[in-house]
Amino acid sequence: PAHLWFRFPSAASENTLLGLGLRVLLPQDQEGLRSLAPRDTPRSSQASSRRLALSAPQAAMAPQGTEQPLVEMKASDVEGATREPKPESPTESASSEAQAGVGLLRQTSQLEERAAEKDHYHEKKHGLVAAIAFNTLNMIGTGPLITAPFLINSTGSSTSLIGYACAIVFCLSDSFVWGELGALMPNSGGPYIYLRNCYGRDKWGSLMSFIYLWVFLISSPLELASAFKAAAEYLSFVWPWLNESDWGTSLFGSIFALVCTFALQQDVSRVGQIALFLAAMTLAIVAFVLVSGFATYDADYLKPPSDAYDDKPEFLWNLGTAMTIGLYDLTGYYDVNFMADEIQNPERNVPIAAVGTCGVVGSISVLVILAMLGTISPEEMNQLVEDESDEANYIAAYFVEDIFGKAAGGVMAVMVALMIFSSAYAMMIGVAHVPYAAARDGYFFSIFGSEHPTKKGLPDKSLWIVGILTAILCWIDLGTLIEAFATLITPTQFMAQSIGVWLLRSDEHFGKQSIDARIPLFPLPNIIALIGFGFVFITSQNYLVSGDIPILELSVLVLIVGVIIYLAGFARIHKLWPYNEAAAPQV
């Protein structure tokens, strides 16, 4: 058994212990004491903890209706307690009682120190404002300042804003799903934890969480690569020689990825300070773009051409591309779900951060695009993309140059490049922690579970694998990176979770929990999200129907390969579903 029960031989023994200053734990204190133990403590370790109960006479003296107080102590403190006691002289008896009391007092002091450390750690966790800031920074860092020309090019005019608005509606509906799941399971890991419990820990959940991690390992480097390459593209405004060859910005993007990986291997204690600096700089850039754009606003630029809706099937298909770009811009409203263990009161703050950030930043993104469209016409933006012009890749600098001149455009280019790099810096360490946590739980490849030998909690190998993959993907075209990322995560993350909530609500444990973050008007938001993300997925660039880059086909291939790897290798080796002989590991 995990605990053994011992009884004091007499009331005198108990009084001796109390006289030495031992604090007896009352029933209301016991639960708090047990919470000091780590959640993932193995049973073999728990077995070393022993509980002492008061003797029968003292239990009889306690008021009716009360529980017996317990005293926590180690097995070493009561070694030999179960043996037949040898006759002792009064002096030896008093001495042994004194030693036992000192041992229990030392143990109590250690427990109190652990409680103080836990309180101090809780105070260091991020509050609601910080949670919102993390989400906001990751959204704006890879948002409309990169994608505005590609958005306009999706339909060829300002009508692309219709698709962008639809993407906001889909993401806002989905944010309620993230909110409910985050409140029910306030643990770091995000969808890896959610899908495992939604689809059954010992059944389909093992497969779904593995497929998510498999796709995450590819999609996250795609997003990071798009950020690093976009930062390099912005620097080409200042150093045009970067775009004189096909490999200039790709090489710099790869260098940025490796430098970022190396920097995170050193000391990540300043990530929070960098985030604060980034937040201030991001707000300044957004405010400058909004003020400059609306000060020179030309509403005629928003008028769509007369034939914009003539070919309705083609228009609807192109709206799917606009929605994909909108999805790419808005991804990040769920970032704190990945790090819920580091958030104060996650049951409340994680849902508020997800829903609030999605709505606010989505509105700001629309305003940023409208501000730039007030100076640069949709026709001009569309032409920049069609001609594969360099200006399309640093549209914010081009926008500022058009208003204030070349020097101001250069300053804007450097600031945006720094903002994007810093955002990716903060994003990369979070990305590396997801497969790291899963590997340590036994649900992903063990190589990702490696921890730095001297820096506790640093997933060194996971971080290097993510960094190297990102550096390789920087050699893909920026527009392709954006669409490939959004297409790949749609079925395994957004759609799977929307369905999973339905299944979770029928669960005996999760379905009956009382939380404040339940999805409003359920299941309407789930249905909206499923329809929207399903439309984004099937309208992705494909070779079979439209003759474009086979992004859709490659995404399906990635999913199939992941299923094969799980069934043919990983699940069989680790005895997970459908080969599990016993319950899957509890985490």
Side-chain angles (χ1 to χ4, degrees):
H3 297 87
L4 296 177
W5 289 83
F6 303 105
R7 298 196 178 278
F8 287 109
S10 67
S13 300
E14 181 200 352
N15 293 335
T16 301
L17 296 177
L18 294 177
L20 289 170
L22 177 65
R23 183 170 67 89
V24 177
L25 300 178
L26 299 176
Q28 58 267 30
D29 296 324
Q30 294 165 17
E31 190 60 32
L33 179 63
R34 297 186 187 108
S35 68
L36 298 179
R39 275 179 278 180
D40 58 349
T41 303
R43 293 194 176 192
S44 58
S45 300
Q46 292 175 354
S48 65
S49 177
R50 302 291 185 254
R51 285 191 273 184
L52 254 177
L54 294 181
S55 61
Q58 274 62 48
M61 294 171 61
Q64 280 192 330
T66 61
E67 300 180 25
Q68 277 187 213
L70 302 178
V71 180
E72 292 284 350
M73 62 185 301
K74 294 181 180 177
S76 59
D77 294 329
V78 292
E79 183 177 1
T82 58
R83 302 171 188 164
E84 188 68 26
K86 297 178 180 179
E88 293 180 337
S89 65
T91 303
E92 291 176 340
S93 176
S95 175
S96 61
E97 289 179 356
Q99 290 176 1
V102 170
L104 290 172
L105 184 61
R106 185 184 299 114
Q107 177 69 6
T108 303
S109 176
Q110 292 173 351
L111 291 170
E112 289 177 345
E113 289 177 2
R114 290 172 61 189
E117 290 176 0
K118 182 178 179 182
D119 291 340
H120 178 66
Y121 176 69
H122 179 76
E123 292 174 0
K124 292 176 63 177
K125 290 185 177 183
H126 306 293
L128 177 59
V129 175
I132 293 174
F134 276 116
N135 286 357
T136 302
L137 294 176
N138 283 297
M139 293 173 73
I140 296 181
T142 54
L145 297 180
I146 298 175
T147 62
F150 304 103
L151 173 67
I152 299 302
N153 181 252
S154 63
T155 63
S157 68
S158 59
T159 55
S160 59
L161 289 173
I162 299 175
Y164 200 88
C166 289
I168 294 176
V169 173
F170 301 150
C171 289
L172 188 60
S173 300
D174 182 65
S175 69
F176 291 112
V177 175
W178 284 88
E180 178 167 326
L181 292 174
L184 285 172
M185 291 166 276
N187 307 103
S188 294
Y192 149 64
I193 299 291
Y194 306 156
L195 296 177
R196 197 182 65 198
N197 286 292
C198 286
Y199 290 88
R201 194 184 281 264
D202 302 329
K203 297 181 180 179
W204 289 89
S206 298
L207 172 62
M208 294 297 292
S209 62
F210 179 88
I211 296 302
Y212 165 76
L213 291 164
W214 168 255
V215 171
F216 183 84
L217 191 61
I218 301 173
S219 63
S220 293
L222 280 171
E223 184 179 19
L224 288 165
S226 69
F228 288 123
K229 187 160 186 177
E233 294 282 4
Y234 263 93
L235 289 181
S236 69
F237 181 90
V238 182
W239 299 309
W241 54 267
L242 286 174
N243 272 324
E244 290 179 0
S245 63
D246 295 335
W247 52 267
T249 54
S250 296
L251 177 62
F252 263 66
S254 298
I255 292 173
F256 288 160
L258 296 176
V259 168
C260 185
T261 305
F262 180 77
L264 286 170
Q265 289 279 350
Q266 302 306 304
D267 184 4
V268 298
S269 61
R270 295 187 178 272
V271 171
Q273 297 176 5
I274 292 175
L276 292 175
F277 169 74
L278 175 60
M281 185 173 61
T282 300
L283 292 175
I285 292 173
V286 170
F288 181 77
V289 170
L290 291 177
V291 172
S292 302
F294 285 110
T296 58
Y297 196 75
D298 188 347
D300 290 338
Y301 287 162
L302 294 179
K303 294 180 180 178
S306 58
D307 60 345
Y309 309 105
D310 287 352
D311 191 343
K312 289 182 174 57
E314 182 181 1
F315 173 73
L316 290 175
W317 191 267
N318 291 335
L319 276 185
T321 303
M323 294 176 195
T324 301
I325 295 172
L327 175 61
Y328 172 85
D329 284 1
L330 294 172
T331 51
Y333 57 86
Y334 45 76
D335 274 356
V336 293
N337 288 69
F338 293 114
M339 49 183 285
D341 284 337
E342 307 305 320
I343 304 297
Q344 295 177 6
N345 192 11
E347 295 88 346
R348 170 183 176 271
N349 291 339
V350 167
I352 293 176
V355 177
T357 306
C358 185
V360 173
V361 177
S363 301
I364 292 175
S365 297
V366 171
L367 291 175
V368 169
I369 295 171
L370 289 174
M372 286 193 286
L373 282 177
T375 301
I376 307 173
S377 68
E379 291 76 18
E380 185 177 359
M381 280 196 184
N382 187 53
Q383 198 61 45
L384 291 175
V385 177
E386 293 290 342
D387 295 342
E388 298 184 355
S389 174
D390 297 337
E391 286 81 357
N393 295 323
Y394 44 71
I395 191 63
Y398 181 69
F399 161 78
V400 172
E401 179 190 25
D402 191 66
I403 301 174
F404 300 104
K406 183 74 173 179
V411 173
M412 174 60 75
V414 173
M415 290 183 67
V416 173
L418 181 60
M419 179 189 75
I420 296 171
F421 179 86
S422 300
S423 178
Y425 175 88
M427 188 190 313
M428 182 178 280
I429 188 63
V431 167
H433 266 89
V434 175
Y436 162 76
R440 293 177 72 86
D441 292 344
Y443 283 92
F444 205 54
F445 300 113
S446 59
I447 188 174
F448 290 92
S450 171
E451 184 176 293
H452 195 280
T454 60
K455 297 178 176 62
K456 184 175 177 59
L458 179 64
D460 53 351
K461 291 184 180 179
S462 178
L463 189 57
W464 273 114
I465 292 173
V466 170
I468 292 171
L469 285 174
T470 301
I472 295 172
L473 293 172
C474 284
W475 293 83
I476 300 177
D477 174 71
L478 181 59
T480 303
L481 285 172
I482 292 172
E483 183 156 0
F485 161 74
T487 303
L488 196 55
I489 66 171
T490 296
T492 58
Q493 182 167 293
F494 301 115
M495 298 178 70
Q497 287 187 171
S498 291
I499 297 173
V501 170
W502 259 308
L503 302 176
L504 197 67
R505 287 201 171 201
S506 62
D507 182 83
E508 293 183 359
H509 173 66
F510 291 106
K512 296 179 181 179
Q513 285 192 30
S514 177
I515 59 173
D516 295 329
R518 289 292 185 186
I519 299 172
L521 303 177
F522 179 85
L524 182 59
N526 301 61
I527 295 173
I528 293 174
L530 282 171
I531 293 174
F533 292 128
F535 184 71
V536 167
F537 185 71
I538 64 174
T539 57
S540 302
Q541 289 190 51
N542 61 85
Y543 179 78
L544 293 177
V545 177
S546 58
D548 294 326
I549 301 173
I551 291 178
L552 179 60
E553 291 87 347
L554 289 175
S555 297
V556 174
L557 179 62
V558 168
L559 295 175
I560 294 174
V561 170
V563 173
I564 293 174
I565 291 175
Y566 175 84
L567 293 176
F570 187 83
R572 187 182 296 273
I573 293 173
H574 294 275
K575 302 299 181 182
L576 297 177
W577 182 88
Y579 310 106
N580 51 333
E581 299 175 358
Q586 301 294 308
V587 182

